Amino acid sequence: MNTPPANPLTFGNTIPGGDNFNDVTHLIDMASDAMQTGQLLAMGHFTLLDAMNAIEVIMDPRMDNGVTLPNENESKTSSFDPQAPLSPEEISWILDRAIAAEGEDFHAEKFEVGLCEGLQTNKVLESLDSAEQRLNERTGLPNRDMLLLRVQLRKSLVRAFSSQPDSISPAQLFHLRSARSLLDDIIASPSPSEPVATSPARAAFDPAICRKLVVVTPLKPIELSNQGQAWTILRNELDGLIGVYEIAEQGTSADWMTLLLLLSRCRHQTALVRNTTTILMKSWPPQWTLDLVYRHTVPIQHDYIVSLASSLSQHMLVGGAAHDSHLLLNGVMDLQRRLQEVLDHFLLSLNQNRPRTRRNFAKVLSAWHKIEADATQLMITIRAPMQHIRLAAQVTYRLPLVIHHFRLAIITEYVMAGFELELYETSEWPFLYWYVAVILGEQMLVPLIGTAALTPHLDSDRQRRNMMKRFDWSIPSASESSVLEDSGRPDWNAYETAVARLKGREVCFDIYLARKLVLSLLTFRMKNGEVGKQGYSSQPESAL
């Protein structure tokens, strides 16, 4: 091999292996010439991931770990002696920094290092109880209260997190609230001073521990957050978990949606709270999300629509329209399934970080629109022969509007998340503000129109007179004049136009579906002797 000139690069530390490298490019060229396109050479215990970790890839400096040189002080870190005598203030400092270390998710891998998995929780609690008892007996010990608060906090945390996340108990919620109260006391009390350089407490944390684990490439030293940030992270986790468990214990699916909407906008939301929420949501029965639409918004039981479709399907079957009967019942069942899928996706997406939430919303908005269209068709089919049943008429009219309302809410979240993530150019803001205003206006109008259509009917003129009387303050007197248009004045004509427009969402389906439905109903009635054949067309369905 040819020896290249001396390496002009100089380092403050000696690189393992020295810097007198040999040029082996020709060997690589020979090997690559013998390879076929798509082939990859590998060796034992050294994967493609290991190779990528040793160099900077995809413009991510965090991946460039292989050339990080060791710090001069790294080799001087001594091993921690748990039997070394420590003052209450030094132990308090260790417990505080342990909270900061536990809040750092620097690497989700233990690297084959045991972390006391075999130690039972009750043994840990016994040790903490013993420590608390001994501290209570040492009333004259300096900084005793400082350490006692931290031992009690640690004990409450162990008890709160010792249960499975998918199980809720009053005791677990009690320990979370106790930990939150103790945390407030700790923050309000004096903090322990940082130990001197010679203190054994400093050896409890080794920033270069990741370099001593079983890895192929050295990792950068760990940098813990300051104690104020550590307390903030813990406080946010406790507040989030308390809120989640309180809703899980007593709340409805509508309460869950409200909580998730709030949490999705919290930048400080932690992975622990998100994961716990996801586990709890997935542990509930499948119809739980459907209840969000049917019981808390429509409101009926989630199987009411299915029972209506089943009843109508039986009439169609008796009337000889077996094919239409099968399509109707299967269509409603499929609608239930698809609606549950998009509702599950919606709620789980709210429980993710904001960029992922926005991407997930974009993927399913077209599916929501298709479900709304299909629901409108099916509800027209079911409603037509059941107008005399008030609840059936109400539900079949309202359900598509509820689905429409959900889709508008997702569009609003999608657009506003783009502002939060600073994805838009300033020149795009005017259109986006206008678009959000339109969507919000429609979203507020949908439930009002749904209510107006289902309340006892008054003629339009009487309703107009009632509203003019209630808002007579908005009508200017003859002596008052202004060149400025009053946008706060109620506009009855605009209201009627909006009602007609939303009702018109069904018009495009009416003609075709009404023809099929009328033919099926007439066939049923004729076979049961309810009507004669006179006055009805004998043309086949294709001619209608």
Side-chain angles (χ1 to χ4, degrees):
M1 297 184 184
N2 297 326
T3 302
N7 194 329
L9 299 177
T10 59
F11 298 92
N13 299 79
T14 301
I15 297 178
D19 58 1
N20 187 24
F21 298 106
N22 296 323
D23 188 355
V24 294
T25 305
H26 67 287
L27 294 178
I28 298 176
D29 291 338
M30 290 173 58
S32 60
D33 290 340
M35 295 175 64
Q36 301 295 324
T37 302
Q39 283 186 321
L40 176 67
L41 293 178
M43 60 183 293
H45 307 293
F46 190 83
T47 65
L48 178 62
L49 178 62
D50 299 323
M52 293 175 65
N53 281 338
I55 61 174
E56 181 177 350
V57 293
I58 59 172
M59 302 303 293
D60 188 353
R62 293 174 298 177
M63 299 292 287
D64 190 10
N65 295 320
V67 298
T68 303
L69 300 177
N71 187 281
E72 294 181 358
N73 297 324
E74 287 183 11
S75 59
K76 299 179 181 180
T77 304
S78 58
S79 299
F80 177 65
D81 180 9
Q83 302 298 327
L86 297 170
S87 67
E89 187 173 17
E90 289 175 318
I91 299 175
S92 298
W93 179 84
I94 291 176
L95 292 175
D96 286 358
R97 301 314 292 155
I99 292 290
E102 291 162 353
E104 294 288 335
D105 188 19
F106 71 95
H107 208 299
E109 176 58 58
K110 298 191 304 171
F111 300 106
E112 303 178 10
V113 176
L115 295 179
C116 304
E117 289 89 344
L119 187 60
Q120 297 180 354
T121 305
N122 62 333
K123 297 295 183 183
V124 176
L125 291 173
E126 287 177 4
S127 298
L128 290 170
D129 286 334
S130 176
E132 182 181 10
Q133 181 179 358
R134 291 166 61 187
L135 285 171
N136 284 325
E137 295 171 352
R138 302 285 299 275
T139 56
L141 187 68
N143 297 311
R144 180 195 72 112
D145 292 343
M146 176 188 292
L147 179 56
L148 182 60
L149 282 174
R150 284 155 175 81
V151 170
Q152 292 171 340
L153 172 64
R154 178 65 59 172
K155 187 170 67 172
S156 294
L157 291 175
V158 172
R159 285 177 171 168
F161 295 134
S162 60
S163 302
Q164 294 297 326
D166 59 347
S167 61
I168 305 298
S169 66
Q172 190 173 17
L173 193 54
F174 170 80
H175 293 309
L176 284 171
R177 290 170 175 158
S178 175
R180 183 63 176 83
S181 177
L182 288 167
L183 178 59
D184 287 339
D185 293 339
I186 290 175
I187 295 175
S189 61
S191 301
S193 303
E194 188 168 339
V196 297
T198 57
S199 171
R202 285 190 169 275
F205 302 96
D206 184 1
I209 184 63
C210 51
R211 292 173 174 266
K212 302 175 183 178
L213 302 176
V214 184
V215 290
V216 176
T217 55
L219 301 175
K220 293 181 179 180
I222 304 170
E223 296 181 2
L224 298 181
S225 58
N226 62 52
Q227 199 56 48
Q229 293 172 333
W231 293 138
T232 299
I233 293 173
L234 180 59
R235 181 173 60 243
N236 293 336
E237 287 187 344
L238 292 174
D239 286 343
L241 290 174
I242 290 172
V244 168
Y245 284 147
E246 286 178 343
I247 294 293
E249 189 177 45
Q250 302 177 1
T252 64
S253 53
D255 296 327
W256 268 107
M257 190 182 73
T258 302
L259 175 66
L260 290 171
L261 283 169
L262 293 174
L263 293 179
S264 67
R265 301 185 181 99
C266 296
R267 291 178 177 266
H268 59 259
Q269 187 64 12
T270 65
L272 174 63
V273 177
R274 287 198 298 265
N275 292 340
T276 303
T277 305
T278 300
I279 293 172
L280 285 171
M281 291 172 60
K282 289 184 176 180
S283 67
W284 293 324
Q287 69 272 14
W288 177 82
T289 47
L290 286 178
D291 286 344
L292 179 61
V293 168
Y294 288 113
R295 182 176 298 178
H296 301 294
T297 315
V298 178
I300 53 169
Q301 296 289 338
H302 68 275
D303 55 355
Y304 181 73
I305 293 291
V306 178
S307 65
L308 288 179
S310 179
S311 176
L312 183 57
S313 177
Q314 289 296 323
H315 285 297
M316 288 181 171
L317 188 61
V318 174
H323 179 68
D324 291 341
S325 171
H326 179 74
L327 287 180
L328 175 63
L329 189 56
N330 282 359
V332 171
M333 297 296 292
D334 183 64
L335 175 67
Q336 295 273 83
R337 178 188 58 81
R338 290 159 55 204
L339 183 56
Q340 181 177 327
E341 287 179 355
V342 293
L343 284 169
D344 286 340
H345 184 275
F346 169 57
L347 295 177
L348 290 174
S349 296
L350 286 176
N351 196 40
Q352 297 172 346
N353 61 59
R354 206 57 170 159
R356 185 171 296 174
T357 296
R358 188 176 184 273
R359 289 195 300 269
N360 286 339
F361 284 170
K363 294 177 182 178
V364 296
L365 278 170
S366 58
W368 274 95
H369 185 62
K370 183 64 169 63
I371 290 173
E372 180 189 351
D374 293 345
T376 303
Q377 296 184 50
L378 289 169
M379 295 307 105
I380 291 173
T381 303
I382 296 173
R383 182 167 65 248
M386 296 187 176
Q387 292 285 358
H388 61 287
I389 305 176
R390 179 173 176 79
L391 180 59
Q394 289 179 343
V395 170
T396 53
Y397 185 86
R398 191 180 296 173
L399 181 60
L401 291 177
V402 171
I403 297 174
H404 183 55
H405 187 273
F406 268 91
R407 184 170 184 265
L408 294 176
I410 295 174
I411 293 174
T412 302
E413 289 294 314
Y414 172 81
V415 176
M416 298 310 295
F419 280 107
E420 296 174 28
L421 300 173
E422 301 180 354
L423 300 180
Y424 306 131
E425 295 181 359
T426 308
S427 60
E428 297 175 313
W429 289 7
F431 171 81
L432 293 169
Y433 286 144
W434 169 83
Y435 180 54
V436 170
V438 170
I439 295 296
L440 289 175
E442 174 112 343
Q443 189 178 358
M444 294 298 295
L445 196 61
V446 165
L448 298 178
I449 291 176
T451 302
L454 303 174
T455 51
H457 180 69
L458 294 176
D459 64 86
S460 179
D461 289 339
R462 182 176 175 182
Q463 291 185 59
R464 181 194 293 267
R465 291 194 301 270
N466 286 350
M467 291 301 102
M468 290 179 64
K469 184 176 182 179
R470 294 186 183 280
F471 294 95
D472 55 359
W473 54 264
S474 66
I475 303 175
S477 62
S479 60
E480 295 176 342
S481 62
S482 174
V483 296
L484 180 64
E485 181 182 357
D486 186 3
S487 60
R489 181 183 303 165
D491 190 338
W492 180 261
N493 293 330
Y495 168 75
E496 289 188 322
T497 301
V499 172
R501 179 174 60 82
L502 280 182
K503 286 184 176 179
R505 297 176 66 85
E506 299 181 350
V507 172
C508 58
F509 306 112
D510 276 343
I511 298 177
Y512 173 74
L513 291 174
R515 287 173 176 171
K516 294 194 69 175
L517 183 61
V518 167
L519 183 64
S520 299
L521 291 176
L522 289 180
T523 304
F524 168 75
R525 290 186 176 185
M526 288 165 57
K527 286 188 175 183
N528 286 273
E530 295 181 18
V531 294
K533 295 184 179 181
Q534 295 80 3
Y536 296 106
S537 172
S538 59
Q539 295 179 347
E541 180 183 357
S542 58
L544 287 177

